[in-house]
Amino acid sequence: MAIVSSRRIRTLGQILRASKASWLIALAAKEAARRIAGWPRCLLVEASTECNLSCPWCEDVFDLSGRKRKFMSADDFASVMRHVSRHVTAVTFVRTGEPLMNPDILRMIDEARKRSLVVTLNSNLATLGQAMIDELIDLAPHRIVTTLISAERDEYEAKQVGAKFERTISNIAAICSGRRERKRHFPLVEVQLIATKTSVKQIDAFRRIVERIGCDSAYVKPMRIDTARDDETYRRIHVDDLPVGHEVCNYELDSAGRPILKCQEVCPQSENIYVTADGDVFPCLFAFGNLEPYGNLISDGWRSVWRGSGLRGDKRRRLRGRGHPMCASCIPSREISRPVLGQ
């Protein structure tokens, strides 16, 4: 199966085909204005710094010490939306924790939907109850994206500690079937399998699972490595699990066994900005912990952050392929993925 890099385009196509004409016209107009002004396409929102799981392969990446708060409140998110919603076309609720642990997350999804934005929720879907599943279907974010580290139960439960494989798969299936029973177009459900030495041998099993549960698309996603880190724990959990030589791997090893990127292109994060639960703004998802924030959307507002902090110039440099020095050890823009379903 060929490697492709247009997954986002295909998913957007599904969203467009299922949407009303008036919303599409408004979205197209906003997208045209965004491109002319050079504004970011997507606002990545950290809804929570707490997680319901304790995965060694994830826990080691993020240092959450010294954070001011655990959750972004619905009021603060509404404030962020007032500043940003006319400049961006999409909102994605992402790490560092589990967004669904935020008690205000449903209000936040509703707020973003009311502002005619394309809404994506990233969640492990590991501990949902039926009530939450029903509310997600009723609120209808455009996409729900979930990640499996393995398609086999024992390995999944060893690496995604606190989750039960059958329950996670059942929750994904319940969202898919519940949406169809209600004859809703959304949420589209996307499942990604992280490419490790063992999981790349499970692609056929993964395909059978996603076909059985009826999700909309599925793919194998490359693991991201912080090549600047060389401590033994990080190497044992991450580097030693890289499927070097496989088609879905962004890295190769040098003579000393250190991972290096195969390619460097314009960063896929160049059209995004990332706001933490505290309201701090970073130029991309991976800049948190590596750069100082460009300001605070809750206290400073959009104009101050975009024009006064240097964020606008930073984004323009990234679009031209001239990123920050930290970009040299980050994920390349050509996000290799192997489609499994829904392509």
Side-chain angles (χ1 to χ4, degrees):
M1 190 176 294
I3 293 173
V4 300
S5 58
S6 55
R7 170 169 49 82
R8 190 179 76 189
I9 296 171
R10 287 191 299 274
T11 302
L12 181 60
Q14 290 177 293
I15 292 173
L16 295 180
R17 286 192 294 273
S19 301
K20 294 181 179 179
S22 59
W23 182 75
L24 292 178
I25 292 169
L27 186 67
K30 184 188 285 189
E31 175 64 13
R34 181 196 72 79
R35 286 179 176 272
I36 292 170
W39 294 325
R41 183 189 65 85
C42 182
L43 179 69
L44 307 175
V45 178
E46 178 192 56
S48 169
T49 65
E50 274 201 349
C51 191
N52 49 350
L53 307 182
S54 54
C55 312
W57 63 281
C58 177
E59 213 174 23
D60 226 333
V61 176
F62 307 118
D63 178 11
L64 303 181
S65 60
R67 301 298 300 279
K68 298 172 190 173
R69 66 180 77 179
K70 296 178 181 178
F71 306 120
M72 178 180 284
S73 70
D75 290 341
D76 283 343
F77 181 72
S79 175
V80 169
M81 285 289 94
R82 283 192 293 272
H83 290 301
V84 177
S85 62
R86 75 186 190 90
H87 302 297
V88 301
T89 57
V91 169
T92 299
F93 296 98
V94 291
R95 61 168 197 178
T96 49
E98 166 54 46
L100 291 179
M101 289 194 70
N102 186 326
D104 288 344
I105 188 62
L106 298 177
R107 291 173 58 194
M108 294 162 71
I109 293 172
D110 188 47
E111 176 75 23
R113 283 286 268 147
K114 286 177 179 176
R115 292 180 180 271
S116 300
L117 299 172
V118 176
V119 181
T120 299
L121 171 69
N122 282 35
S123 171
N124 57 50
L125 301 180
T127 56
L128 296 186
Q130 188 59 48
M132 177 61 81
I133 290 172
D134 291 339
E135 289 191 87
L136 284 175
I137 296 170
D138 290 338
L139 277 176
H142 294 93
R143 285 196 309 160
I144 295 178
V145 181
T146 192
T147 301
L148 304 179
I149 191 66
S150 173
E152 293 184 353
R153 184 188 64 185
D154 292 345
E155 184 181 13
Y156 169 87
E157 293 179 0
K159 290 185 174 180
Q160 295 190 238
V161 180
K164 295 297 181 184
F165 186 74
E166 285 83 2
R167 182 175 180 182
T168 300
I169 299 302
S170 175
N171 287 339
I172 300 170
I175 295 172
C176 296
S177 61
R179 186 198 74 201
R180 293 188 176 99
E181 287 168 7
R182 291 169 171 79
K183 298 182 179 179
R184 300 286 182 86
H185 293 299
F186 305 117
L188 300 174
V189 178
E190 233 173 73
V191 184
Q192 56 186 19
L193 177 69
I194 300 298
T196 67
K197 279 183 178 177
T198 52
S199 70
V200 294
K201 302 173 185 176
Q202 302 163 4
I203 293 176
D204 288 339
F206 177 58
R207 179 184 289 107
R208 288 193 295 271
I209 290 169
V210 294
E211 286 175 344
R212 173 170 56 84
I213 63 180
C215 66
D216 298 282
S217 64
Y219 50 92
V220 182
K221 182 182 176 70
M223 184 192 298
R224 176 187 177 271
I225 295 291
D226 184 349
T227 57
R229 293 189 59 173
D230 199 28
D231 58 275
E232 176 148 350
T233 301
Y234 189 86
R235 183 177 184 85
R236 175 175 51 81
I237 295 175
H238 296 85
V239 179
D240 291 350
D241 214 11
L242 272 176
V244 177
H246 193 274
E247 58 180 352
V248 189
C249 183
N250 284 331
Y251 303 90
E252 52 193 17
L253 299 181
D254 64 13
S255 58
R258 293 185 296 264
I260 55 174
L261 289 170
K262 289 186 195 175
C263 58
Q264 276 286 354
E265 301 174 10
V266 177
C267 177
Q269 293 285 326
S270 59
E271 291 195 328
N272 303 336
I273 58 171
Y274 178 57
V275 58
T276 69
D278 306 319
D280 291 336
V281 178
F282 293 87
C284 76
L285 187 66
F286 304 113
F288 170 67
N290 293 296
L291 299 179
E292 290 297 314
Y294 278 83
N296 189 287
L297 268 180
I298 297 170
S299 61
D300 302 334
W302 172 253
R303 184 180 295 271
S304 173
V305 170
W306 181 244
R307 293 187 177 179
S309 67
L311 180 59
R312 178 169 58 177
D314 181 277
K315 301 307 285 185
R316 287 177 176 173
R317 285 192 298 274
R318 286 167 192 261
L319 283 169
R320 294 168 187 154
R322 300 198 302 269
H324 189 274
M326 63 156 270
C327 301
S329 64
C330 197
I331 196 165
S333 98
R334 187 167 63 90
E335 186 177 278
I336 303 169
S337 62
R338 178 173 177 176
V340 173
L341 183 69
Q343 312 303 328

